[in-house]
Protein backbone atom coordinates (compact mmCIF):
# COMPACT_ATOMS: atom_id res chain seq x y z
CA UNK A 1 0.00 0.00 0.00
CA UNK A 2 1.32 3.44 -0.95
CA UNK A 3 0.56 6.29 1.45
CA UNK A 4 0.25 9.72 -0.12
CA UNK A 5 1.71 12.45 2.06
CA UNK A 6 0.21 15.89 2.58
CA UNK A 7 2.32 18.95 1.93
CA UNK A 8 2.69 19.41 5.70
CA UNK A 9 3.89 15.84 6.07
CA UNK A 10 6.38 16.34 3.24
CA UNK A 11 7.72 19.36 5.14
CA UNK A 12 8.17 17.13 8.20
CA UNK A 13 9.99 14.55 6.08
CA UNK A 14 12.29 17.31 4.89
CA UNK A 15 13.42 17.85 8.49
CA UNK A 16 14.33 14.19 8.84
CA UNK A 17 16.06 14.39 5.48
CA UNK A 18 18.05 17.39 6.62
CA UNK A 19 19.46 15.36 9.52
CA UNK A 20 20.49 12.60 7.13
CA UNK A 21 22.17 15.12 4.84
CA UNK A 22 24.05 16.73 7.73
CA UNK A 23 25.28 13.36 8.98
CA UNK A 24 26.61 12.34 5.57
CA UNK A 25 28.34 15.70 5.18
CA UNK A 26 30.00 15.20 8.57
CA UNK A 27 31.08 11.67 7.63
CA UNK A 28 32.60 12.88 4.38
CA UNK A 29 34.43 15.71 6.12
CA UNK A 30 35.84 13.39 8.78
CA UNK A 31 36.87 10.59 6.39
CA UNK A 32 40.64 10.55 5.84
CA UNK A 33 43.48 8.12 5.58
CA UNK A 34 43.86 6.34 8.93
CA UNK A 35 40.30 6.99 10.16
CA UNK A 36 38.39 3.83 11.10
CA UNK A 37 34.92 2.96 9.88
CA UNK A 38 33.78 2.78 13.51
CA UNK A 39 34.89 6.39 13.96
CA UNK A 40 32.75 7.40 10.97
CA UNK A 41 29.78 5.63 12.54
CA UNK A 42 30.32 7.60 15.75
CA UNK A 43 30.47 10.86 13.78
CA UNK A 44 27.09 10.05 12.21
CA UNK A 45 25.67 8.96 15.58
CA UNK A 46 26.65 12.28 17.13
CA UNK A 47 24.67 14.17 14.46
CA UNK A 48 21.60 12.11 15.40
CA UNK A 49 22.08 12.87 19.09
CA UNK A 50 22.38 16.61 18.54
CA UNK A 51 19.25 16.63 16.36
CA UNK A 52 17.24 14.52 18.80
CA UNK A 53 16.70 12.01 16.01
CA UNK A 54 16.68 8.22 15.91
CA UNK A 55 18.20 5.67 13.55
CA UNK A 56 16.18 3.37 11.29
CA UNK A 57 19.38 1.39 10.62
CA UNK A 58 20.42 0.50 14.17
CA UNK A 59 18.79 -2.82 15.10
CA UNK A 60 17.14 -3.19 11.69
CA UNK A 61 16.73 -6.83 10.68
CA UNK A 62 15.10 -7.65 7.33
CA UNK A 63 14.31 -11.23 6.40
CA UNK A 64 17.68 -11.85 4.69
CA UNK A 65 19.79 -10.71 7.64
CA UNK A 66 21.19 -13.20 10.17
CA UNK A 67 21.56 -10.51 12.85
CA UNK A 68 20.22 -6.99 13.49
CA UNK A 69 22.31 -4.23 11.91
CA UNK A 70 24.71 -3.02 14.63
CA UNK A 71 25.32 0.59 13.58
CA UNK A 72 23.65 3.82 12.44
CA UNK A 73 25.76 4.06 9.28
CA UNK A 74 26.27 1.66 6.38
CA UNK A 75 29.79 2.20 5.10
CA UNK A 76 30.97 0.14 2.12
CA UNK A 77 34.57 0.31 0.88
CA UNK A 78 35.94 -0.50 -2.60
CA UNK A 79 34.33 -3.76 -3.82
CA UNK A 80 31.55 -3.52 -1.22
CA UNK A 81 28.40 -2.26 -2.92
CA UNK A 82 26.02 -1.60 -0.02
CA UNK A 83 25.16 -2.62 3.57
CA UNK A 84 28.74 -2.54 4.83
CA UNK A 85 29.04 -2.83 8.62
CA UNK A 86 31.42 -0.33 10.28
CA UNK A 87 34.52 -2.11 11.60
CA UNK A 88 37.99 -1.27 12.89
CA UNK A 89 39.22 -1.08 9.27
CA UNK A 90 41.17 2.15 8.77
CA UNK A 91 40.81 4.01 5.50
CA UNK A 92 43.71 3.84 3.09
CA UNK A 93 44.93 6.18 0.41
CA UNK A 94 42.74 5.77 -2.70
CA UNK A 95 39.85 3.95 -1.01
CA UNK A 96 36.39 4.38 -2.52
CA UNK A 97 33.76 4.80 0.18
CA UNK A 98 29.97 4.57 -0.06
CA UNK A 99 28.13 5.86 3.01
CA UNK A 100 24.40 5.22 3.48
CA UNK A 101 22.49 6.81 6.35
CA UNK A 102 18.96 7.18 7.66
CA UNK A 103 17.32 9.38 10.26
CA UNK A 104 13.95 9.31 12.04
CA UNK A 105 12.53 12.55 13.38
CA UNK A 106 9.02 13.24 14.70
CA UNK A 107 7.70 10.04 13.17
CA UNK A 108 9.18 10.49 9.68
CA UNK A 109 12.20 8.97 7.96
CA UNK A 110 14.92 10.26 5.66
CA UNK A 111 17.39 8.07 3.75
CA UNK A 112 20.38 9.13 1.65
CA UNK A 113 23.76 7.89 0.40
CA UNK A 114 26.94 9.33 -1.07
CA UNK A 115 30.15 7.90 -2.52
CA UNK A 116 33.56 9.55 -2.38
CA UNK A 117 37.27 8.81 -2.52
CA UNK A 118 39.85 9.17 0.24
CA UNK A 119 43.30 10.57 -0.45
CA UNK A 120 44.53 10.33 -4.03
CA UNK A 121 41.57 9.36 -6.20
CA UNK A 122 41.90 6.94 -9.10
CA UNK A 123 40.40 8.43 -12.30
CA UNK A 124 38.26 5.34 -12.80
CA UNK A 125 36.79 5.78 -9.31
CA UNK A 126 35.98 9.43 -9.98
CA UNK A 127 34.13 8.39 -13.14
CA UNK A 128 32.27 5.66 -11.26
CA UNK A 129 31.07 8.08 -8.57
CA UNK A 130 30.12 10.70 -11.15
CA UNK A 131 28.07 8.11 -13.04
CA UNK A 132 26.19 7.08 -9.90
CA UNK A 133 25.40 10.74 -9.27
CA UNK A 134 24.29 11.29 -12.88
CA UNK A 135 22.08 8.22 -12.68
CA UNK A 136 20.52 9.59 -9.49
CA UNK A 137 19.90 12.95 -11.15
CA UNK A 138 18.31 11.21 -14.13
CA UNK A 139 16.06 9.16 -11.86
CA UNK A 140 15.00 12.25 -9.94
CA UNK A 141 14.35 14.07 -13.21
CA UNK A 142 11.89 11.33 -14.18
CA UNK A 143 10.10 11.47 -10.81
CA UNK A 144 7.26 13.73 -11.93
CA UNK A 145 3.50 13.51 -11.60
CA UNK A 146 2.03 11.38 -14.39
CA UNK A 147 5.19 9.40 -15.08
CA UNK A 148 5.57 5.81 -13.89
CA UNK A 149 8.02 3.91 -11.72
CA UNK A 150 9.40 2.37 -14.90
CA UNK A 151 10.36 5.82 -16.17
CA UNK A 152 12.61 6.32 -13.13
CA UNK A 153 14.10 2.84 -13.51
CA UNK A 154 14.71 3.36 -17.24
CA UNK A 155 16.39 6.72 -16.68
CA UNK A 156 18.75 5.25 -14.07
CA UNK A 157 19.53 2.12 -16.03
CA UNK A 158 20.24 4.01 -19.25
CA UNK A 159 22.92 6.16 -17.60
CA UNK A 160 24.58 3.18 -15.92
CA UNK A 161 24.57 0.90 -18.97
CA UNK A 162 25.76 3.58 -21.38
CA UNK A 163 28.74 4.11 -19.07
CA UNK A 164 29.51 0.38 -19.29
CA UNK A 165 28.74 -0.40 -15.66
CA UNK A 166 26.91 -3.26 -14.00
CA UNK A 167 23.76 -2.93 -11.92
CA UNK A 168 23.21 -5.31 -8.98
CA UNK A 169 19.81 -6.86 -9.52
CA UNK A 170 17.23 -7.32 -6.75
CA UNK A 171 18.38 -4.19 -4.91
CA UNK A 172 17.10 -0.69 -5.60
CA UNK A 173 15.05 2.16 -4.24
CA UNK A 174 11.83 2.13 -2.26
CA UNK A 175 9.02 4.17 -0.88
CA UNK A 176 9.72 6.11 2.30
CA UNK A 177 7.65 7.96 4.89
CA UNK A 178 6.67 6.83 8.37
CA UNK A 179 9.10 3.95 7.87
CA UNK A 180 12.39 3.76 6.03
CA UNK A 181 11.15 1.07 3.66
CA UNK A 182 7.65 1.38 2.24
CA UNK A 183 5.93 0.57 -1.04
CA UNK A 184 6.58 0.87 -3.92
CA UNK A 185 9.89 -0.65 -4.94
CA UNK A 186 11.96 1.46 -7.35
CA UNK A 187 14.22 -0.71 -9.57
CA UNK A 188 17.46 0.64 -11.00
CA UNK A 189 16.65 -0.71 -14.45
CA UNK A 190 13.37 -1.15 -16.29
CA UNK A 191 11.07 -0.24 -19.14
CA UNK A 192 9.74 3.28 -19.55
CA UNK A 193 5.99 3.66 -19.31
CA UNK A 194 5.53 0.65 -17.06
CA UNK A 195 4.58 0.31 -13.41
CA UNK A 196 2.74 2.46 -10.91
CA UNK A 197 1.72 5.98 -11.91
CA UNK A 198 3.46 8.71 -9.89
CA UNK A 199 1.11 10.96 -7.93
CA UNK A 200 1.47 14.11 -5.86
CA UNK A 201 2.34 13.10 -2.30
CA UNK A 202 4.34 9.97 -3.09
CA UNK A 203 7.80 9.83 -1.49
CA UNK A 204 10.57 7.64 -2.88
CA UNK A 205 14.14 6.83 -1.96
CA UNK A 206 15.89 6.66 -5.33
CA UNK A 207 19.27 4.93 -5.15
CA UNK A 208 21.41 3.84 -8.11
CA UNK A 209 24.19 1.33 -7.46
CA UNK A 210 26.88 0.76 -10.08
CA UNK A 211 29.55 -1.92 -10.47
CA UNK A 212 32.73 -0.77 -12.16
CA UNK A 213 33.61 -4.09 -13.80
CA UNK A 214 30.49 -4.09 -15.95
CA UNK A 215 28.98 -7.32 -14.65
CA UNK A 216 25.89 -7.51 -12.47
CA UNK A 217 27.10 -10.28 -10.17
CA UNK A 218 27.42 -9.83 -6.43
CA UNK A 219 27.57 -12.00 -3.34
CA UNK A 220 26.86 -11.71 0.34
CA UNK A 221 29.92 -11.43 2.58
CA UNK A 222 30.43 -13.62 5.63
CA UNK A 223 28.91 -10.98 7.92
CA UNK A 224 25.52 -11.67 6.31
CA UNK A 225 25.04 -8.01 5.40
CA UNK A 226 27.69 -6.60 3.07
CA UNK A 227 27.15 -7.14 -0.66
CA UNK A 228 30.38 -7.42 -2.67
CA UNK A 229 31.02 -7.49 -6.41
CA UNK A 230 31.77 -10.95 -7.79
CA UNK A 231 34.60 -9.70 -9.98
CA UNK A 232 36.29 -7.68 -7.24
CA UNK A 233 35.73 -4.40 -9.06
CA UNK A 234 34.73 -1.28 -7.18
CA UNK A 235 31.20 -0.01 -6.73
CA UNK A 236 29.45 3.29 -6.03
CA UNK A 237 26.07 4.21 -4.56
CA UNK A 238 24.08 7.46 -4.53
CA UNK A 239 20.67 8.12 -2.97
CA UNK A 240 18.16 10.84 -2.17
CA UNK A 241 14.72 10.75 -0.63
CA UNK A 242 12.40 12.58 -3.04
CA UNK A 243 8.79 13.77 -2.83
CA UNK A 244 6.64 13.75 -5.97
CA UNK A 245 4.81 17.08 -6.20
CA UNK A 246 2.82 19.01 -8.77
CA UNK A 247 5.70 21.52 -8.81
CA UNK A 248 8.22 18.79 -9.65
CA UNK A 249 10.43 16.47 -7.62
CA UNK A 250 11.42 17.82 -4.21
CA UNK A 251 14.69 16.45 -2.84
CA UNK A 252 14.17 15.90 0.87
CA UNK A 253 17.75 14.95 1.72
CA UNK A 254 19.56 17.81 -0.03
CA UNK A 255 22.01 19.79 2.09
Amino acid sequence: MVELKTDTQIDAMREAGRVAADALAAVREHAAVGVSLLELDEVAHEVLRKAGAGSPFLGYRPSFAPTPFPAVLCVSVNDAIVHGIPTTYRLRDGDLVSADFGAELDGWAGDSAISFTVGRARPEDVRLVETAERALAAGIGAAVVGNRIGDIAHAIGTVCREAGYGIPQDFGGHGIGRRMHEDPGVPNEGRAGRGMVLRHGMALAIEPMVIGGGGDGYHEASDGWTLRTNDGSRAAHAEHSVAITEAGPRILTAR
Side-chain angles (χ1 to χ4, degrees), residues 1-236:
M1 178 179 175
V2 176
E3 178 189 17
L4 298 180
K5 284 75 175 176
T6 66
D7 292 346
T8 299
Q9 290 171 334
I10 290 172
D11 288 341
M13 288 187 66
R14 169 60 177 144
E15 295 309 307
R18 200 184 308 275
V19 175
D22 288 347
L24 287 176
V27 165
R28 184 170 191 164
E29 181 177 359
H30 193 79
V33 174
V35 173
S36 77
L37 304 187
L38 282 172
E39 289 177 71
L40 296 183
D41 182 66
E42 180 54 32
V43 166
H45 211 155
E46 183 60 21
V47 173
L48 284 180
R49 294 189 192 103
K50 289 182 177 179
S55 170
F57 287 17
L58 183 62
Y60 179 60
R61 188 178 184 181
S63 59
F64 67 81
T67 58
F69 195 76
V72 301
L73 178 73
C74 289
V75 57
S76 307
V77 180
N78 296 332
D79 67 323
I81 306 168
V82 287
H83 302 164
I85 295 176
T87 65
T88 57
Y89 175 85
R90 294 189 177 277
L91 294 172
R92 302 171 184 174
D93 189 40
D95 276 348
L96 173 56
V97 179
S98 295
D100 189 357
F101 185 80
E104 292 176 335
L105 186 66
D106 297 329
W108 298 97
D111 189 9
S112 187
I114 58 173
S115 292
F116 55 89
T117 56
V118 175
R120 291 169 294 183
R122 306 191 315 178
E124 57 267 37
D125 290 343
V126 173
R127 179 173 177 265
L128 190 65
V129 172
E130 288 177 345
T131 300
E133 292 173 347
R134 285 195 299 110
L136 175 58
I140 292 171
V144 298
V145 172
N147 268 3
R148 294 178 178 267
I149 293 290
D151 294 312
I152 298 175
H154 179 73
I156 292 170
T158 297
V159 171
C160 298
R161 295 299 188 190
E162 288 183 348
Y165 295 138
I167 301 171
Q169 303 300 308
D170 305 319
F171 286 89
H174 49 88
I176 188 169
R178 299 179 191 275
R179 299 182 309 281
M180 178 174 61
H181 289 148
E182 297 184 352
D183 291 334
V186 185
N188 285 329
E189 191 168 31
R191 293 176 60 185
R194 303 293 291 273
M196 183 178 293
V197 175
L198 304 180
R199 299 169 59 191
H200 179 91
M202 291 176 67
L204 306 173
I206 300 173
E207 50 178 324
M209 307 164 196
V210 289
I211 297 175
D216 297 347
Y218 64 89
H219 62 276
E220 189 178 272
S222 59
D223 62 20
W225 274 97
T226 309
L227 301 183
R228 296 189 178 278
T229 63
N230 280 351
D231 60 9
S233 66
R234 295 187 171 194

